[in-house]
Amino acid sequence: MPSPSDFDPLLYRVHFAYSVRGTSEAAVRGRTVRDWMKLGRRPEAIVQRLREGSATHGVSFGGYLGPDALLVPVPRRAPRRGDALWPALELCDQLRDAGLGRSVETLLRRERAVPKSSVILRAADRPSPATHADSLSVVRALLDAEAVTLVDDVVTRGSTMLGCAAVLRAAYPDITIRGFAFLRRLEGLSDHHAPHEGSISMSGENIVQAR
């Protein structure tokens, strides 16, 4: 069971951005990336755009992605049934195939569904990192690793990723945990390539921010 210190701030990096209301070319492209990921469409093309965009913008993924990175996909909000779509896993596989990961380890499993955050209006009523952590389990041992990168398609507040990090920190206290997300919401876009590095932190009972 995670301790309070397991919910300490998590360093993360995100590359793309999307706008809900924007009408610019950048906003439309960002929403296209979002929709492709949610539908499991062309994950290889998304990773290719990531590589091209990082080269154009001079972005380094050091400490997050690379030939030595061990990638852990973030589970969806409900238990997976059979071969149901798991966008984070598909993206991890493509990152590995593109040389941005050494291996993909499905260490986390969702045991119980959590409410869908996007349909809950008040942020304080959405699932907290502790709620996510309580619904997750570590499914097998991790050997020969000093660091892992949690990978998700979209980060908003960061509750899901912080909950996943807490579970892994409790299971592997000597391993460095970081997060990587492909996409975040950002209004007023001038370019859907909007690389950002920051931290996900929690204050109070359920005040979570990805800054």
Side-chain angles (χ1 to χ4, degrees):
M1 194 72 180
S3 67
S5 64
D6 292 322
F7 293 93
D8 282 350
L10 173 72
L11 291 177
Y12 82 105
R13 179 175 280 284
V14 61
H15 185 81
F16 297 107
Y18 77 99
S19 166
V20 174
R21 295 180 293 272
T23 58
S24 67
E25 181 180 358
V28 172
R29 288 186 175 183
R31 288 196 294 271
T32 298
V33 172
R34 178 200 62 188
D35 295 343
W36 280 7
M37 288 193 298
K38 291 300 183 184
L39 295 172
R41 291 184 56 192
R42 302 187 65 194
E44 73 287 349
I46 295 171
V47 170
Q48 181 60 30
R49 285 191 180 188
L50 173 73
R51 296 185 68 183
E52 293 171 352
S54 64
T56 300
H57 291 78
V59 174
S60 169
F61 296 124
Y64 296 89
L65 305 177
D68 297 323
L70 192 154
L71 310 176
V72 176
V74 169
R76 303 194 76 175
R77 70 173 190 88
R80 191 185 190 201
R81 305 300 182 191
D83 294 327
L85 178 65
W86 186 355
L89 177 59
E90 294 196 4
L91 291 166
C92 279
D93 287 340
Q94 293 299 323
L95 287 170
R96 178 201 57 211
D97 293 348
L100 294 174
R102 171 168 60 92
S103 65
V104 178
E105 304 290 342
T106 53
L107 296 180
L108 294 172
R109 178 170 63 205
R110 185 77 71 176
E111 302 291 353
R112 299 178 303 280
V114 297
K116 189 174 183 179
S117 293
S118 61
V119 301
I120 301 175
L121 295 180
R122 283 189 357 117
D125 294 333
R126 295 169 187 165
S128 67
T131 299
H132 282 288
D134 287 344
S135 73
L136 295 164
S137 66
V138 177
V139 297
R140 57 192 177 83
L142 177 62
L143 303 175
D144 188 30
E146 297 180 356
V148 303
T149 299
L150 284 161
V151 178
D152 208 355
D153 52 357
V154 179
V155 63
T156 306
R157 292 195 309 154
S159 289
T160 306
M161 191 171 282
L162 188 56
C164 289
V167 172
L168 289 180
R169 285 167 171 167
Y172 308 110
D174 297 324
I175 291 178
T176 300
I177 312 293
R178 290 187 175 180
F180 180 86
F182 278 77
L183 191 69
R184 63 175 172 145
R185 179 177 172 178
L186 185 66
E187 299 301 330
L189 287 179
S190 59
D191 189 341
H192 73 299
H193 292 279
H196 172 74
E197 184 177 21
S199 67
I200 298 169
S201 60
M202 180 172 64
S203 61
E205 184 175 347
N206 191 20
I207 302 173
V208 186
Q209 290 184 312
R211 295 180 174 176

